[in-house]
Every structure is written in C-alpha cells, then in structure tokens.
Amino acid sequence: MIKIYNTQTHQKEKFQSVELGKIGMYVCGPTVYNYIHIGNARTFISFDVIRRYLEWRGFKVTFVQNVTDVDDKIINKAKEEGRTPAEVAAEYTKAFIDDMHKAGVKDPDIRPKATEEIPAMIELVEDLIKGGHAYEVEGDVYFSVRSFPEYGKLSGRNIDEMESGHRELRADGQGIEDRKRDPLDFAVWKAAKPGEPCWDSPWGKGRPGWHLECSAMSRKYLGLPFDIHGGGADLVFPHHENEVAQSEAACGCTFANYWIHGGMLQINSEKMSKSLGNFLLLRDVLERTRPEVLRFLMLQTHYRSPLDFSDERLAEAEAGLSRIENTVKNLQWAIENAQDIPSPLKTKPLMAQVKDTRNEFIVTMDDDFNTAGALGIIFGFVNDLNSQIAGKTVSITDVPVLRGAYAVLVELMSVFGIMLEGEEEEVQYPDAVVPLAKELAGYTGANPAQAVSVLLDCRTEARANKNWALADQVRDGMKELGLIIEDTPQGPRVSVE
Ligand code: AMP
Ligand code: ZN
C-alpha cells in the first residue's frame, strides 16, 4: 500500500488513483529564460524517481510537465540581449531538455508549451468569467479570490490575514492594485504592452497569467480531478494555491487529489542565490560529476527535507555508489569464475536475503518514497554480499543465487534511474519476455534482461523443488520467444536464436 504525504491535508494518506492502475501526474516545469540550476534539478529528479517508482509498481503513469515560454523574465532577458522573447525561450527550452537528458530524467509523456496552448487558456478564463469568479478591467482579467471561499486551503493560510503578493506597475505607471476590486485578486489574463508577445482574445490582445497556464494545461491533458500535482515547496503559495482556486472554481470539482512538494536545495547550508555567489548550474555540475553520483547524493535525503549540497557530500556519494557498483562487479566475477567445488557461501540465507531486500525496498518506498531508507536496505545487502563473496571463488551451485542477487541490485537501482551496467545487459532480449516472467515468476519490472534472469532463477528453483511442469513452462515459453536455455557447468545460459 503506497502512502503519500499530501501538502493539503498535512498527513500521509493511503494512495488511491482515480482510475484503477492509472495515474495522472502534473509537475510544474521551468520558466525558460536561463539554464536550470541544481535546485531545479533536485525537484525534477525527485519527481523522476517518484514517477519511475510508480511505474515499476505497475501503474500506467501519464506524466505532464509544462514549459513556461512566455513570461516577464523571458521578455526582460530578450530586451537586454536584443533578441525576441521567442528566440530566448527556444534556446533555453532546448537547453532544459538537453540538461534533463544528461541528468537521466525521463521525458514527460506530454510537454505542453504555454504559447501553444492559448485557446485552452482563453477557454478557462471565459469559464471563470461566466461563473462569476473573474472580471475584466480594460483588457486585464482578474480572478476574484473572495469568490472562492476555500482559498488558502492548500497553503493553510487564512484569507483575511493575507496581503496581496502582486504589486506590479503597469506600463502607464498606474498601480495594478488600483484596478483590482480586491488587493488579493490576481491576473489570469494580462492586456498586451507595446512590443510584447500577445494573442487575440475576447478581451483584446494579451497573454495568460502564469498561474492560469498550469490550470489550463493540466485540465486539458489529464482531466479533473487528476491524481498527483507536484513542484518545489516554494510553489505552494501563491502559484499552487491560485491553481487550485482557478481550477476548482471553474469545474466545481476537486483539482488534484495528492499534492507533493519537494524540499529546497541549499549549498553549504545556505540558500542558493545569485547574490551569495553560490549559484550552481546543473550543466556545470555535470561537467565534473557523473549524473548517477548527483542522483545518488539527492536520494540520500528524503524528497521533502531540505537538501544540503556540497563538494564533500558529492565525494561521499561517489564513494557510496562505487560500493554498490563494485559489488555488482564482484558478483559478475564470481559468477563467471565459479568452479565445481563445495560452496563457500551461506547459500540458504543469501537466497532469503535476495527476496527480503526486494520486499523491504518496496515497503520502504511505499512509505512516501523513502529513498534514503531504501538505499539503507540496499547497503545492508551489499555489505553482506561483499563479506560473503569478495575475493572468493564460489561453487557452480552458487551461481543461481548470485544471479538473483545481481538481478535484484540492478533492478532496484534502475528504479532510482541509476543503471548499473554489466555484461549481462549487453544482449538484446525481446520485450515479450517481460509478460512471460510476470506470468510464470511474478516479475513486476519492465526490463527484458532482468526478466530473463528472473525466469532462469524460477526454473532453477522449480527444478530443485521437482516442479518439472513449471520448469518446462519456463523453457518452452522462452523457446517460443527465440531464447534457448543451455545448462552449462556454470549454470544455465541463454542464447538468442
Ligand atoms: P522555476 O523555473 O523557478 O519555476 O522552478 C522550476 C522548479 O524548480 C519548481 O518546481 C521550483 O519549485 C523548483 N526549485 C526552484 N528553486 C529550487 C531549489 N533551490 N531547490 C529545489 N527546487 C527548486
Ligand atoms: Zn504550475
């Protein structure tokens, strides 16, 4: 049973998806006017791991992440550089996607750009006006905060104690405050200023407000209510509070069932900011660090806690990940060099440990994605394995259990987005072996190489238990997929026909 800490209710809740076996997930993307920093990367990596875990647990996840490609910051940068806002946005959108690929973050299923979704945004503003939740003033449209009595429920603020967070001046110098019916109201549509990007709308030329973008794009691609909405903790107020208000006011239903917010990344225990000179871009860190090591560092802290980044922690992460990688190499060596000798291992406890490690990993990650705890479990297993196999020649009878240990380490680390390369993964097995492993051996992952390994273990165990029918089912099922099992003195080997 998966439990998720929900910002809105301040407690861990049992997770239940709207549709059985499916999850709709929306995570706010970047405003593309600069390269992303490692704080942004922390949030995106946290949600990448959450998504990978939910997929590994068998959910079909639809992951939507927007790109905010029209915004004051983009317009200002374009002015400074004598370029168009579209040029600036295109450059940094590409840079963002490149950086995400370098960091091993999976692409979202849908990556809508604000500038390509204007009709959906206009439609939402129209719905709000029709419902009496928004009003127009000379081409601007404002959301009427007091028309939504539950305003403040996400961030736990009381509407009567709030001050307006929007003290902008218009081009004509008139304070926006003077134009709004209530200082708390915020813009959902902004009238065009000269020379700025704009689109036709029922209120004249203009562009959408930032908060509105996410409400419109999530509604369009996921439908309401959807399961999980995420972002960094700095977005809870006002961005997400405003998203809730607009979306729920317009549809009259719940917006998102679970709100997940990631903690902030700090550098040497200080806030990361340009003025403090401790501002690190993801691409610069990845010049000198393997992406797996950065990810490993991040996984050692729970996603909701503040994360302290420093060179010492990076070095510790390198050492920690190397320990796991070395164990995988040791396992490979032991498997390849097994001899026909009595086993020097405690094979029975090792077999139980392989299963326990996987089960404990699941229990720990089910508890609000406790990656730090799950890494602790993997470390416990790695320490035991090392003490048993390091520097030893093992028996050919140990090979199946060592293969199981290898498969479980590779599988669990891949859930974190860390691929431990090994020779075993070089062969390309057909995807159809995954459902076969699921049917015969209860495999829950999606990696064909691991599925083959799990099937081989299943057959070895079946033979040991004299369950010839199951052993034959495995061999015949694999043969149908062109995978031939050969029994060698080193254990079963698979060749692809
Ligand atoms: P932005 O482009 O500023 O909207 O940020 C994109 C994402 O990065 C949002 O989800 C922010 O919450 C997140 N973010 C910004 N700064 C940090 C930080 N220092 N640590 C963690 N996440 C951050
Ligand atoms: Zn958003």
Side-chain angles (χ1 to χ4, degrees):
M1 180 185 66
I2 297 176
K3 280 188 173 170
I4 298 182
Y5 182 90
N6 189 347
T7 308
Q8 186 153 313
T9 57
H10 312 289
Q11 59 188 17
K12 278 187 209 167
E13 292 175 5
K14 180 173 179 280
F15 177 72
Q16 197 135 35
S17 56
V18 175
E19 242 187 288
L20 196 68
K22 291 187 179 167
I23 293 177
M25 188 166 168
Y26 186 96
V27 175
C28 296
T31 303
V32 281
Y33 69 103
N34 205 340
Y35 297 122
I36 63 161
H37 57 65
I38 55 167
N40 305 133
R42 189 223 178 167
T43 293
F44 298 140
I45 289 174
S46 294
F47 284 101
D48 183 55
V49 170
I50 290 173
R51 172 203 189 170
R52 285 174 189 266
Y53 182 67
L54 293 171
E55 285 176 344
W56 183 71
R57 290 286 270 120
F59 289 97
K60 166 91 187 67
V61 179
T62 303
F63 188 94
V64 182
Q65 181 170 60
N66 66 298
V67 170
T68 297
D69 59 349
V70 57
D71 178 85
D72 287 338
K73 291 178 195 143
I74 300 172
I75 294 168
N76 291 340
K77 177 119 182 173
K79 273 185 202 147
E80 279 165 28
E81 298 183 353
R83 296 197 281 166
T84 65
E87 281 165 353
V88 170
E91 176 185 345
Y92 291 109
T93 301
K94 183 178 178 304
F96 166 65
I97 294 171
D98 286 349
D99 284 355
M100 288 290 92
H101 288 168
K102 269 188 224 136
V105 174
K106 275 173 68 163
D107 280 330
D109 298 296
I110 305 165
R111 186 170 2 236
K113 289 182 183 158
T115 55
E116 292 171 6
E117 303 291 344
I118 303 293
M121 296 180 200
I122 291 177
E123 198 180 309
L124 179 54
V125 176
E126 283 181 316
D127 288 352
L128 288 171
I129 293 176
K130 263 186 240 145
H133 296 287
Y135 56 92
E136 190 217 338
V137 185
E138 295 166 26
D140 288 331
V141 183
Y142 295 102
F143 181 83
S144 166
V145 167
R146 287 187 191 272
S147 77
F148 183 67
E150 290 174 275
Y151 192 82
K153 68 175 177 178
L154 178 68
S155 57
R157 288 168 196 234
N158 180 331
I159 197 166
D160 292 319
E161 292 166 4
M162 275 182 217
E163 287 209 11
S164 161
H166 306 267
R167 298 199 177 280
E168 306 163 55
L169 283 182
R170 277 166 24 107
D172 60 9
Q174 189 188 2
I176 280 183
E177 307 306 305
D178 310 333
R179 303 157 50 79
K180 297 195 247 178
R181 291 184 193 161
D182 186 314
L184 291 176
D185 295 350
F186 58 89
V188 289
W189 185 264
K190 299 175 175 186
K193 296 180 198 164
E196 287 187 2
C198 60
W199 290 263
D200 286 327
S201 82
W203 318 284
K205 286 192 184 301
R207 62 185 163 98
W210 172 43
H211 313 303
L212 185 93
E213 292 176 14
C214 290
S215 286
M217 293 189 256
S218 52
R219 164 168 113 155
K220 175 172 169 185
Y221 290 106
L222 295 172
L224 304 193
F226 60 90
D227 297 295
I228 297 175
H229 194 315
D234 58 332
L235 297 188
V236 176
F237 188 87
H239 184 53
H240 288 164
E241 192 70 64
N242 290 355
E243 281 190 37
V244 173
Q246 298 158 153
S247 302
E248 298 195 355
C251 79
C253 67
T254 300
F255 176 40
N257 285 335
Y258 300 86
W259 282 90
I260 305 184
H261 288 100
M264 293 290 105
L265 178 142
Q266 306 171 326
I267 302 218
N268 298 319
S269 309
E270 279 182 327
K271 186 173 183 289
M272 185 171 61
S273 77
K274 278 193 176 138
S275 54
L276 288 171
N278 61 1
F279 192 83
L280 286 178
L281 296 180
L282 174 62
R283 52 181 52 208
D284 292 341
V285 173
L286 291 182
E287 286 277 306
R288 56 186 169 93
T289 313
R290 290 193 289 150
E292 295 86 352
V293 172
L294 180 64
R295 202 171 259 261
F296 194 86
L297 182 157
M298 292 181 173
L299 293 168
Q300 284 174 318
T301 302
H302 190 271
Y303 76 86
R304 274 192 288 121
S305 305
L307 180 139
D308 202 32
F309 182 90
S310 64
D311 283 345
E312 293 87 80
R313 288 211 60 201
L314 215 44
E316 280 165 27
E318 172 76 59
L321 179 58
S322 299
R323 238 161 78 207
I324 299 175
E325 288 170 334
N326 284 336
T327 305
V328 167
K329 281 188 204 135
N330 289 345
L331 278 169
Q332 267 181 307
W333 189 90
I335 290 166
E336 280 159 19
N337 295 282
Q339 303 288 325
D340 194 0
I341 53 169
S343 169
L345 307 181
K346 291 179 260 159
T347 315
K348 269 267 158 57
L350 203 54
M351 213 177 267
Q353 233 181 334
V354 173
K355 283 210 175 94
D356 289 350
T357 300
R358 202 168 182 282
N359 291 341
E360 285 169 23
F361 177 92
I362 293 173
V363 170
T364 309
M365 283 293 284
D366 272 2
D367 183 11
D368 195 29
F369 314 108
N370 181 358
T371 54
L375 273 182
I377 289 160
I378 293 177
F379 268 126
F381 182 48
V382 158
N383 287 342
D384 276 12
L385 270 174
N386 275 342
S387 66
Q388 290 214 46
I389 62 167
K392 273 190 207 140
T393 300
V394 302
S395 159
I396 49 175
T397 59
D398 298 323
V399 167
V401 70
L402 295 185
R403 273 186 198 283
Y406 177 97
V408 89
L409 279 179
V410 170
E411 180 184 12
L412 299 186
M413 291 304 284
S414 79
V415 175
F416 288 149
I418 295 178
M419 308 304 161
L420 301 172
E421 278 143 33
E423 283 171 31
E424 305 237 333
E425 285 204 282
E426 278 173 20
V427 186
Q428 289 295 315
Y429 297 108
D431 288 341
V433 76
V434 171
L436 184 72
K438 187 175 178 181
E439 184 194 330
L440 298 180
Y443 177 60
T444 54
N447 179 322
Q450 287 159 14
V452 166
S453 171
V454 167
L455 280 168
L456 289 183
D457 292 346
C458 168
R459 176 171 168 269
T460 306
E461 210 177 294
R463 283 158 57 122
N465 296 332
K466 301 202 182 341
N467 185 349
W468 310 117
L470 178 60
D472 286 351
Q473 263 181 308
V474 172
R475 195 198 54 221
D476 296 345
M478 288 179 69
K479 187 157 189 285
E480 270 179 36
L481 301 174
L483 301 171
I484 309 301
I485 303 179
E486 254 179 286
D487 287 302
T488 74
Q490 281 77 33
R493 285 254 177 267
V494 173
S495 53
V496 183
E497 244 179 0

